[in-house]
Amino acid sequence: MREVLIKGLESGLRNDAPDAEIAMRQKRRLCEIGLEDYSFVLFSRFLNSLDATGGASWLVETLESWNGPLDAHLIGISQLELSGWNATECAAIRNELRLKATLDRSRRLTEEYTVSPWTSKKSASAFQDDDEVKFPREGIG
C-alpha cells in the first residue's frame, strides 16, 4: 500500500493545479507518513520481542523454520528503503535474504533427492562413518 502511495506521489504537481488536487495530494502524503510510522512501530515491536525472548541464539535453538522471522525482517528493511534511508544497504540486505532463501531451497532439494527413488533407499544422513558407499560404474568416465 505504501509503495503505491509513494509511486503516486513521485510525479510533481503543475503550477496551476486546482486546490482540490493539492488537498488530495496532501492527504495521500499524510497517509503515507502514517503508514511509515506504523511500519516503524510494528518492526520495532518485532525486534524488541525477539530480543526479549533471547535474540538470535533463541531462534537457533527453538525455531524449525526461519521463514516467519526472515519475512518480517525483509518487510522491515523494505519499509526503510521506501523511506529513502540508506537504499544501498537495504538492497544488500534484501540480496542476502534471497541468498538465504536460495540456500534453503537447495537444502530441501538435496534432502528430497536423498530419499527419491532415483537414489539409494538409505539417505546420506543415515550413513555411518564405517559404511561403504558404492557408486554405479556406468556413466562414470
Side-chain angles (χ1 to χ4, degrees), residues 53-116:
T53 57
S57 60
W58 175 80
L59 283 174
V60 169
E61 294 171 5
T62 59
L63 278 186
E64 292 180 15
S65 171
W66 282 70
N67 291 339
L70 285 176
D71 287 344
H73 187 73
L74 184 58
I75 291 168
I77 295 301
S78 297
Q79 293 300 313
L80 287 172
E81 188 174 16
L82 285 173
S83 298
W85 189 78
N86 206 342
T88 305
E89 190 68 19
C90 290
I93 290 170
R94 268 197 342 271
N95 289 335
E96 288 173 358
L97 291 176
R98 286 191 188 122
L99 175 62
K100 168 73 170 105
T102 301
L103 292 173
D104 284 344
R105 272 192 209 99
S106 299
R107 181 174 172 244
R108 283 192 304 273
L109 183 65
T110 56
E111 286 174 352
E112 289 171 9
Y113 177 77
T114 60
V115 294
S116 76

Side-chain angles (χ1 to χ4, degrees), residues 11 24 27 31 40 48 72 80 116 124 128:
S11 63
M24 181 57 72
K27 286 180 184 179
C31 182
F40 177 79
N48 289 338
L80 287 172
S116 76
Q128 301 297 321

Side-chain angles (χ1 to χ4, degrees), residues 23-74:
M24 181 57 72
R25 185 177 178 85
Q26 186 175 19
K27 286 180 184 179
R28 288 182 182 143
R29 175 62 69 194
L30 291 172
C31 182
E32 189 273 324
I33 290 169
L35 287 172
E36 179 183 31
D37 290 345
Y38 186 64
S39 68
F40 177 79
V41 168
L42 289 178
F43 194 47
S44 294
R45 286 181 181 173
F46 166 72
L47 292 175
N48 289 338
S49 67
L50 184 60
D51 284 341
T53 57
S57 60
W58 175 80
L59 283 174
V60 169
E61 294 171 5
T62 59
L63 278 186
E64 292 180 15
S65 171
W66 282 70
N67 291 339
L70 285 176
D71 287 344
H73 187 73
L74 184 58

Side-chain angles (χ1 to χ4, degrees), residues 7-24:
K7 292 224 183 274
L9 292 168
E10 285 177 347
S11 63
L13 279 175
R14 300 184 330 256
N15 287 339
D16 61 346
D19 289 342
E21 189 175 332
I22 293 170
M24 181 57 72

